[in-house]
Amino acid sequence: MQLWRLHLAVLVLAIIAELIGIQRIPIGIGAILLLPLLYAFVMAALLNPNIIKPAARLIGTREVKAASPLIVIAIMPFIAKFGTTIGPAIDKIIAAGPALLLQELGNLGTVLIAFPIAVWVLKLGRESIGATFSIAREPNIAIIADRYTLKSPEGTGVMGVYVIGTLFGTFIFAILASVFATAGWFDPRALAMACGVGSGSMMAACTGALASALPAMKDELVALAAASNLLTYATGLYAGLFIALPMVEKLYVMARGRDDATARRAAEAGE
């Protein structure tokens, strides 16, 4: 009851978001579906005193600290619901077997696409290793914490991406899913598999957008997304530890190793 302001704010924002409902915005190649989850996200962000200071009159530091762990609790019903859809759709999941397994290799896309940007565009140092070897969810943070500690540059990189993903990941996933689903460029089942990146909130937002765009395939899409998410948790840890992290470390040595060595020698000479 001491956090009544937090609970009241959540209830009011949820009601407002549901009253607004799903809004469809045509953009030529398809359409963007704005879901109640997105409205709630934006309104909640505006109530965060770390973003807008006057909001501290309603939501203080104590409420913010209490809200953070509640995200995990709040997403559990989604995970449980998705889990119940896997059993009835097991035949379709088995039929998609090779595709479902091989799409896990897509996790390496963070290395191939994000690493060059981090190193040559953003000019990051070893922070780029932690930031780009994965999508930086909890299992990936554990890998970096064990290998480098979170106080290292690699730890700074992974935590930076984790925070950004937590703040904006659901919004971005929902927008991308709605655009691709309505554009007709990809098979909806492939998009559903792509929703399972190892984040419950991102998967919920992505699957919700797909289900809203293709209601006739809702159960199949949800089942494939849930199965993909489960596989990502099962295999993503090992792929990140034994494939992605060694790969990005070697790429970093090739890209910046000489620069780092030169900088160290210059520092030693200055001392």
Side-chain angles (χ1 to χ4, degrees):
M1 292 302 296
Q2 295 179 351
L3 299 172
W4 66 269
R5 291 185 178 183
L6 174 63
H7 298 303
L8 179 61
V10 170
L11 178 61
V12 171
L13 295 185
I15 292 174
I16 294 175
E18 289 295 334
L19 289 176
I20 297 174
I22 300 174
Q23 301 295 321
R24 185 184 182 95
I25 303 177
I27 59 172
I29 61 173
I32 296 176
L33 298 180
L34 302 181
L35 306 178
L37 176 65
L38 303 182
Y39 315 141
F41 169 82
V42 173
M43 290 186 290
L46 295 178
L47 290 180
N48 189 329
N50 295 315
I51 297 177
I52 298 182
K53 292 184 178 180
R57 299 175 182 175
L58 177 63
I59 302 295
T61 304
R62 182 176 61 177
E63 285 79 11
V64 172
K65 290 182 178 180
S68 298
L70 287 177
I71 295 176
V72 179
I73 299 175
I75 204 66
M76 287 303 175
F78 287 99
I79 304 301
K81 180 178 183 298
F82 290 150
T84 61
T85 64
I86 295 179
I90 191 65
D91 292 338
K92 296 178 181 178
I93 293 174
I94 293 175
L100 193 59
L101 291 173
L102 292 175
Q103 62 94 28
E104 293 302 317
L105 296 176
N107 291 328
L108 300 179
T110 58
V111 177
L112 302 177
I113 297 175
F115 179 78
I117 296 176
V119 172
W120 288 302
V121 178
L122 301 180
K123 305 298 183 182
L124 295 181
R126 293 192 63 84
E127 292 85 356
S128 59
I129 295 177
T132 65
F133 91 102
S134 68
I135 63 166
R137 305 324 296 165
E138 287 80 0
N140 311 119
I141 293 176
I143 292 175
I144 295 297
D146 181 68
R147 180 69 66 88
Y148 305 101
T149 77
L150 293 180
K151 294 183 179 180
S152 65
E154 294 84 356
T156 300
V158 73
M159 288 306 300
V161 175
Y162 176 79
V163 170
I164 294 299
T166 300
L167 290 175
F168 302 108
T170 54
F171 180 85
I172 294 173
F173 263 62
I175 295 297
L176 289 178
S178 62
V179 171
F180 287 138
T182 54
W185 294 344
F186 300 99
D187 189 301
R189 292 167 295 180
L191 295 176
M193 295 178 196
C195 289
V197 294
S199 168
S201 58
M202 293 181 190
M203 182 190 67
C206 182
T207 309
L210 288 180
S212 298
L214 304 164
M217 300 180 65
K218 177 180 178 180
D219 293 339
E220 182 179 1
L221 296 178
V222 169
L224 287 171
S228 176
N229 207 57
L230 182 62
L231 282 173
T232 298
Y233 271 115
T235 64
L237 180 66
Y238 300 103
L241 181 60
F242 297 115
I243 300 177
L245 188 55
M247 180 186 298
V248 78
E249 285 177 335
K250 290 183 179 180
L251 290 174
Y252 180 81
V253 171
M254 294 171 59
R256 298 292 295 274
R258 295 180 180 178
D259 294 341
D260 286 355
T262 301
R264 285 197 299 269
R265 287 194 294 269
E268 292 172 357
E271 294 176 356

